[in-house]
């Protein structure tokens, strides 16, 4: 019985909690009468809440109905407005077609004129943007751009003033392309990057020169800037001449392509860069060639001095010890009683003693003339190996990746030949001169022996 009462109390408490969530936590009932009272109070409170919620719902329902009616009225109004606009649009389309047809009929041949004007304006815009004449007359492409937009997008016709200006700008472009003009403009220095006011010489529509250097017109910024790398000295000399010699006829390197040829000349490597392309083998070839040149120079000076002394000795009967011929002739005086055979041996010994001095380092020069092309061949093989390695790694899609190896192969070959050819010529000349001096010694020796033989008879 006690368990049944506890169960009823728990159920009643749970029902009171669920039916009245806004009430405070219910107190625990101590008996059935108190429990019944609490249930009656909770049911009364719940009925009041339900009535309040029902009245709020009915009030909102009327509000929602009113909003729905307003929305439907707005929709009907917009639908009516849409139909009116659609009708107006169709009428405007018909009216616009009539006006366009009337305009076309009235324009007649002028329509073709304005079409040509629009096309010429577009072509001139691109021409003026790339023309160096715009450095002296800036802003010409802006006018053409505005005219093209006016005639293209808004379908407005150009005025007489605008047509005349297009004619004027086209005529000025043709006229200025045949003039050499001087004007002042800010130029960006390639070394410091600063912009200074300088005198600029414009040679037609081909080149710009300032301070003896070639200047380029930067289209994006509309400014002038010195080329970061100038062409060779022979072209820079013409640039200086055309700027310094006013009113005189001078030679000038004109680029008729508007900068393309000048850009290629600037990219061409100079002598130092070509030598650097040869790599280590190229420097070895140059080092060997320098050694050979120094040796040849030393031999040339030495043989020239010795040859002069021998020529002076030929004119003097008294032997001098400062030249090979004098030392050979001194053998006759040192052996006055020797017979012709003994004297011949003595003279041969003296000549053999002088030959190494006259032919010194000639063999080494000859070796350099032979080794230089072999070193060039070594550089060629090394460069081709690098080229094939680049092809293996990157393929043949980009020729620039193979250019380094090919350049090394060709440059080392050229360096080897450049060293070998003059070295071989120098060796031939020096060897001939050395043999000529030795022949003089042998000739004089033979004369001394013949003279002694005559005395012995």
């Amino acid at each position: 019985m006690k368990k049944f009462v506890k169960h009823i109390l728990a159920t009643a408490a749970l029902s009171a909690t669920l039916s009245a969530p806004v009430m405070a936590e219910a107190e625990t009932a101590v008996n059935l009468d108190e429990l019944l009272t609490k249930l009656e109070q909770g049911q009364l409170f719940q009925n009041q809440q339900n009535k309040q919620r029902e009245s709020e719902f009915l009030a909102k329902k009327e509000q929602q109905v009113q909003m729905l009616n307003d929305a439907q009225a707005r929709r009907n109004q917009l639908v009516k407005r849409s139909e009116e606009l659609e009708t107006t649009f169709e009428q405007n389309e018909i009216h616009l077609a009539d006006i366009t047809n009337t305009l076309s009929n009235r324009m007649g041949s002028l329509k073709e004129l304005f079409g040509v004007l629009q096309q010429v304006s577009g072509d001139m815009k691109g021409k003026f943007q790339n023309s160096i004449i715009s450095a002296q007359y800036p802003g010409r492409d802006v006018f053409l751009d505005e005219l093209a937009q006016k005639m293209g997008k808004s379908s407005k016709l150009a005025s007489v003033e605008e047509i005349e200006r297009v004619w004027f700008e086209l005529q000025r472009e043709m006229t200025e392309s045949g003039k050499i003009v001087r004007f002042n403009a800010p130029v960006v220095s390639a070394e410091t990057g600063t912009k200074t006011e300088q005198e600029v010489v414009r040679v037609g529509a081909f080149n710009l020169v300032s301070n003896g250097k070639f200047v380029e017109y930067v289209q994006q910024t509309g400014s002038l800037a010195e080329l970061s790398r100038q062409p060779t000295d022979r072209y820079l000399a013409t640039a200086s001449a055309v700027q310094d010699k006013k009113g005189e006829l001078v030679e000038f390197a004109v680029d008729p392509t508007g900068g393309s040829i000048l850009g290629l000349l600037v990219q061409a490597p100079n002598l130092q860069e070509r030598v650097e392309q040869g790599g280590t083998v190229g420097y070895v070839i140059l080092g060997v060639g320098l050694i050979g040149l120094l040796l040849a120079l030393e031999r040339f000076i030495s043989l020239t001095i010795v040859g002069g002394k021998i020529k002076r000795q030929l004119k003097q009967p008294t032997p001098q010890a400062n030249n090979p011929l004098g030392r050979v002739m001194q053998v006759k005086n040192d052996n006055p009683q020797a017979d012709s055979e003994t004297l011949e041996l003595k003279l041969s010994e003296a000549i053999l003693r002088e030959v190494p001095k006259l032919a010194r380092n000639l063999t080494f020069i000859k070796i350099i003339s032979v080794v230089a092309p072999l070193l060039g061949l070594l550089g060629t093989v090394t460069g081709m190996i690098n080229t094939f390695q680049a092809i293996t790694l990157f393929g043949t899609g980009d020729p620039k990746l193979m250019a380094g190896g090919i350049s090394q192969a060709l440059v080392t070959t050229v360096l080897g030949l450049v060293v070998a050819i003059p070295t071989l010529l120098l060796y031939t000349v020096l060897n001939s001169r050395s043999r000529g001096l030795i022949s003089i010694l042998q000739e004089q020796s033979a004369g001394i022996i013949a003279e002694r033989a005559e005395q012995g008879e």
Side-chain angles (χ1 to χ4, degrees):
M1 185 65 179
K2 291 182 180 180
K3 292 183 179 180
F4 178 72
V5 173
K6 290 181 180 180
H7 178 69
I8 292 175
L9 293 174
T11 303
L14 179 60
S15 300
T17 303
L18 293 175
S19 60
V22 296
M23 296 176 61
E25 185 179 357
E27 297 179 359
T28 304
V30 296
N31 52 36
L32 293 177
D33 294 334
E34 188 177 353
L35 176 61
L36 181 59
T37 302
K38 291 183 179 296
L39 289 175
E40 290 178 353
Q41 293 176 354
Q43 186 176 5
L44 180 60
F45 180 78
Q46 185 176 4
N47 291 334
Q48 293 176 353
Q49 260 193 339
N50 291 336
K51 291 179 180 180
Q52 183 181 358
R53 291 175 180 174
E54 185 177 357
S55 60
E56 292 177 356
F57 178 78
L58 293 175
K60 291 183 179 180
K61 180 179 179 181
E62 294 177 356
Q63 185 180 1
Q64 294 295 330
V65 171
Q66 182 64 32
M67 292 176 61
L68 177 61
N69 294 333
D70 294 341
Q72 290 177 349
R74 180 63 176 169
R75 182 199 63 181
N76 296 334
Q77 184 180 1
L78 293 177
V79 169
K80 183 179 179 181
R81 179 60 178 167
S82 175
E83 293 175 354
E84 293 175 355
L85 292 177
E86 185 175 357
T87 303
T88 305
F89 177 77
E90 293 176 355
Q91 293 175 354
N92 290 337
E93 286 286 333
I94 297 173
H95 184 61
L96 181 60
D98 294 339
I99 293 176
T100 304
N101 189 21
T102 304
L103 178 62
S104 300
N105 294 332
R106 291 183 179 180
M107 287 182 62
S109 59
L110 292 178
K111 184 177 181 180
E112 183 178 356
L113 170 63
F114 288 118
V116 174
L117 178 64
Q118 187 175 3
Q119 181 181 359
V120 171
S121 300
D123 296 340
M124 288 175 58
K125 176 186 174 183
K127 175 66 176 177
F128 289 169
Q129 286 178 346
N130 298 322
S131 177
I132 63 174
I133 300 177
S134 297
Q136 185 179 359
Y137 303 104
R140 300 185 299 168
D141 56 326
V142 177
F143 159 71
L144 295 174
D145 191 16
E146 294 175 353
L147 179 61
Q149 291 180 359
K150 174 182 178 181
M151 299 180 62
K153 295 182 179 180
S154 60
S155 300
K156 292 184 179 180
L157 300 180
S159 62
V160 177
E161 291 78 9
E162 291 173 337
I163 297 175
E164 290 179 349
R165 184 173 179 183
V166 172
W167 178 18
F168 171 76
E169 294 294 347
L170 185 60
Q171 181 66 35
R172 181 165 65 174
E173 180 74 15
M174 291 188 294
T175 304
E176 293 294 332
S177 62
K179 294 182 179 180
I180 298 178
V181 183
R182 300 173 182 269
F183 63 96
N184 293 328
V187 180
V188 179
S189 174
E191 298 178 356
T192 61
T194 58
K195 184 181 293 186
T196 57
E197 192 78 12
Q198 299 178 9
E199 183 188 50
V200 180
V201 179
R202 176 178 57 80
V203 182
F206 307 110
N207 294 102
L208 293 169
V209 176
S210 179
N211 287 341
K213 298 180 180 180
F214 285 92
V215 178
E216 64 176 343
Y217 173 67
V218 183
Q219 172 190 346
Q220 291 76 10
T221 59
S223 60
L224 298 177
E226 294 180 357
L227 294 178
S228 57
R229 177 170 173 170
Q230 297 290 328
T232 57
D233 294 337
R234 63 171 181 165
Y235 299 113
L236 286 178
T238 63
S240 300
V242 77
Q243 188 170 13
D244 297 337
K245 299 180 180 179
K246 300 181 180 179
E248 299 182 14
L249 185 63
V250 297
E251 294 183 356
F252 181 72
V254 175
D255 184 6
T257 61
S260 300
I261 296 178
L262 183 60
L264 295 176
L265 291 176
V266 168
Q267 294 178 3
N270 53 28
L271 181 60
Q272 180 181 356
E273 292 173 343
R274 289 191 181 278
V275 172
E276 292 175 353
Q277 290 176 354
T280 305
V281 179
Y283 288 116
V284 172
I285 295 174
L286 291 178
V288 172
L290 180 61
I291 294 174
L293 180 62
L294 293 176
L295 292 176
L297 181 62
E298 184 272 334
R299 282 289 81 205
F300 181 81
I301 296 174
S302 178
L303 292 178
T304 301
I305 295 174
V306 172
K309 292 180 179 180
I310 290 177
K311 288 181 180 181
R312 288 193 295 269
Q313 181 64 57
L314 290 174
K315 299 177 182 180
Q316 298 177 2
T318 304
Q320 301 291 330
N322 61 351
N323 64 90
L325 180 58
R327 290 189 289 269
V328 171
M329 294 174 63
Q330 186 65 32
V331 174
K332 182 185 71 171
N333 298 333
D334 294 341
N335 300 277
Q337 304 299 328
D339 56 8
S340 59
E341 295 181 357
T342 303
L343 182 61
E344 181 179 3
L345 295 175
K346 294 288 186 178
L347 291 173
S348 299
E349 180 183 3
I351 293 174
L352 291 175
R353 194 163 46 246
E354 299 294 335
V355 167
K357 299 178 182 179
L358 296 175
R360 184 178 58 192
N361 294 330
L362 293 180
T363 303
F364 191 72
I365 296 175
K366 183 178 181 180
I367 292 174
I368 291 177
S369 66
V370 176
V371 171
L374 295 178
L375 290 174
L377 180 61
L378 174 62
T380 302
V381 175
T382 304
M384 295 309 298
I385 291 174
N386 295 334
T387 301
F388 288 123
Q389 288 179 347
I391 293 175
T392 302
L393 294 176
F394 307 104
T396 59
D398 189 0
K400 293 183 179 180
L401 298 175
M402 301 179 288
I406 296 175
S407 298
Q408 181 180 357
L410 297 178
V411 169
T412 52
T413 304
V414 171
L415 291 177
L417 294 176
V418 167
V419 171
I421 293 173
T423 305
L424 183 59
L425 293 176
L426 289 173
Y427 166 75
T428 303
V429 172
L430 295 175
N431 188 50
S432 299
R433 179 167 295 189
S434 175
R435 289 181 178 274
L437 296 178
I438 294 174
S439 297
I440 293 175
L441 297 181
Q442 292 175 348
E443 180 183 356
Q444 294 299 319
S445 174
I448 293 173
I449 294 173
E451 183 181 358
R452 180 60 61 89
E454 292 177 353
Q455 293 177 357
E457 294 177 356

